[in-house]
Amino acid sequence: QVQVVESGGGLVQPGGSLRLSCAASGSIFSIRTMGWYRQAPGKQRELVATITSGNSTNYADSVKGRFTISRDNAKKTVYLQMNSLKPEDTAVYYCDAQIKSGLGSMVRDYWGQGTQVTVSS
């Protein structure tokens, strides 16, 4: 079965940096768009950044110029480099991968378990 796992979260001070990783594994035929979402306490999950199979990227206005999304297709991994972090960035960050699995012909979203990012002094 397909599994998506995030890593790299933690506690950082304002202005600091973190790099999140998300690796997909299992019976995978192809991976299309991959993305990062986040959810802060009391708020709805929101899009942070996405990257297509053609390396076209999209960012939320709140993170433009600070975050960079990238992918390594050989490793089936998507990354989120987060610089100049602010307390407002504190949230659980979730990875999403649109995957065509070896078990079927459909493309569907697979979500990771989430990784906590806390920005605080």
Side-chain angles (χ1 to χ4, degrees):
Q1 285 292 330
V2 174
Q3 187 174 18
V4 176
V5 179
E6 305 100 330
S7 62
L11 173 64
V12 296
Q13 295 185 340
S17 298
L18 281 175
R19 189 175 80 148
L20 306 183
S21 299
C22 172
S25 62
S27 183
I28 297 172
F29 182 80
S30 64
I31 303 177
R32 308 305 169 92
T33 299
M34 305 180 80
W36 290 95
Y37 296 74
R38 66 187 182 186
Q39 187 168 25
K43 295 185 178 180
Q44 192 168 15
R45 187 174 301 187
E46 65 175 351
L47 183 149
V48 177
T50 61
I51 182 167
T52 69
S53 58
N55 285 322
S56 177
T57 59
N58 174 244
Y59 297 92
D61 288 340
S62 59
V63 306
K64 286 182 179 178
R66 299 189 298 121
F67 291 10
T68 302
I69 188 170
S70 61
R71 63 192 288 169
D72 184 331
N73 292 326
K75 295 182 178 180
K76 298 183 177 65
T77 300
V78 62
Y79 304 94
L80 185 68
Q81 178 66 47
M82 305 185 294
N83 299 325
S84 302
L85 283 162
K86 305 174 181 179
E88 309 93 273
D89 296 317
T90 296
V92 177
Y93 283 70
Y94 296 91
C95 174
D96 168 61
Q98 296 178 349
I99 294 174
K100 183 178 181 180
S101 76
L103 301 178
S105 61
M106 70 181 73
V107 176
R108 59 160 287 185
D109 290 278
Y110 289 84
W111 291 87
Q113 80 288 348
T115 185
Q116 177 71 49
V117 172
T118 302
V119 185
S120 176
S121 298

